[in-house]
Amino acid sequence: MIQNDTIRLRAVEPADVDLLYSWENNMDLWQVSNTIAPFSKAQLARYVKNAALDIYQTKQLRLMIDALKEDRVDETVGIIDMFDFDPYHNRAGVGIMINRKWSGRGLAASALRLFMDYAFNTLHLHQLYCNIAASNSPSIRLFETAGFKPVGVKKDWLKAGTGYEDELLFQCLSTLER
C-alpha cells in the first residue's frame, strides 16, 4: 500500500464505479478534466477493468485517495492521475481532484507528496508536469508548494465561459529540492 498517516493511495476497484460516476459527471469539474460529455456506469466499469492493465501498456495510472483515521479508511476523498506516462523520457503528467467537502484539510498536499515519492523513487521518473488554468489559484498553490515550477504559458488555451483563458505548465524534476 502507498500510504502515510493521513491518506492511502490505492488502485481503482469495481466498488468505486458509483463514486467515479458522480465525480466524472459533475459538470463543475469538466473544465479541468477536459470532459464535454457524461460517462455511463458501463463505460466507467470498463475503465475500472482496464485500470488493472500495466502502466507501460496504458501509459496512465489512476489511484483513489482514501482519508485515514486511526489506520482505517474513513472515506474515499479523491483521485490522483498519472497521464502521458513516457518510460523512455522518464516523465508523466499528474492531476488531482479532492471532493469539495474534503478540501482545505491538507489531503491534496499529502496525496501529492506521497504520489511524487512513488513516481520518483519507485517508478524512477525524472520529471512530473501538470497543466493548470491560470484562474485556478488553489491548484497553483498546491503544486508550487510541492516543488513544481512554472515553465510556460499556453495563451488562450482553455475555453472558459464566453472567452478563453491561459493554461500554465508546471514541472518538477526529481533532482530539484521538494
Side-chain angles (χ1 to χ4, degrees):
M1 289 280 175
I2 304 169
Q3 72 179 53
N4 60 25
D5 293 341
T6 58
I7 56 111
R8 173 182 300 145
L9 303 181
R10 63 169 176 82
V12 179
E13 300 285 348
D16 295 318
V17 168
D18 288 337
L19 186 56
L20 290 172
Y21 180 78
S22 70
W23 288 343
E24 294 288 359
N25 289 307
N26 179 346
M27 291 178 71
D28 293 337
L29 301 175
W30 284 8
Q31 184 174 350
V32 295
S33 64
N34 291 320
T35 301
I36 57 171
F39 288 92
S40 70
K41 286 187 181 180
Q43 286 172 305
L44 292 168
R46 279 191 303 276
Y47 169 80
V48 169
K49 183 178 178 185
N50 290 332
L53 296 175
D54 187 82
I55 186 174
Y56 289 89
Q57 281 182 286
T58 63
K59 307 295 184 211
Q60 63 183 9
L61 174 68
R62 170 167 283 180
L63 298 173
M64 304 302 285
I65 303 169
D66 292 336
L68 300 178
K69 191 174 197 176
E70 298 174 14
D71 204 33
R72 67 173 177 77
V73 173
D74 191 29
E75 188 172 335
T76 300
V77 299
I79 52 179
I80 191 160
D81 289 326
M82 178 182 289
F83 57 91
D84 294 342
F85 173 66
D86 184 336
Y88 180 77
H89 294 288
N90 293 318
R91 66 177 173 234
V94 61
I96 189 167
M97 189 283 303
I98 298 289
N99 187 332
R100 279 191 203 268
K101 78 177 196 176
W102 287 88
S103 66
R105 300 182 194 192
L107 296 172
S110 184
L112 183 56
R113 281 192 304 274
L114 198 57
F115 183 82
M116 290 169 67
D117 182 63
Y118 170 74
F120 292 138
N121 297 315
T122 301
L123 297 178
H124 304 290
L125 294 184
H126 173 63
Q127 63 180 289
L128 290 170
Y129 68 89
C130 63
N131 302 296
I132 306 173
S135 63
N136 191 342
S137 299
S139 285
I140 291 169
R141 276 192 308 277
L142 170 69
F143 281 92
E144 284 184 331
T145 300
F148 283 71
K149 306 291 183 210
V151 294
V153 177
K154 300 176 209 169
K155 300 301 284 179
D156 287 347
W157 195 257
L158 303 170
K159 190 172 187 177
T162 59
Y164 292 86
E165 81 171 291
D166 296 346
E167 183 175 79
L168 309 177
L169 174 61
F170 288 82
Q171 192 176 31
C172 183
L173 302 179
S174 63
T175 57
L176 290 179
E177 194 168 292
R178 293 183 294 279

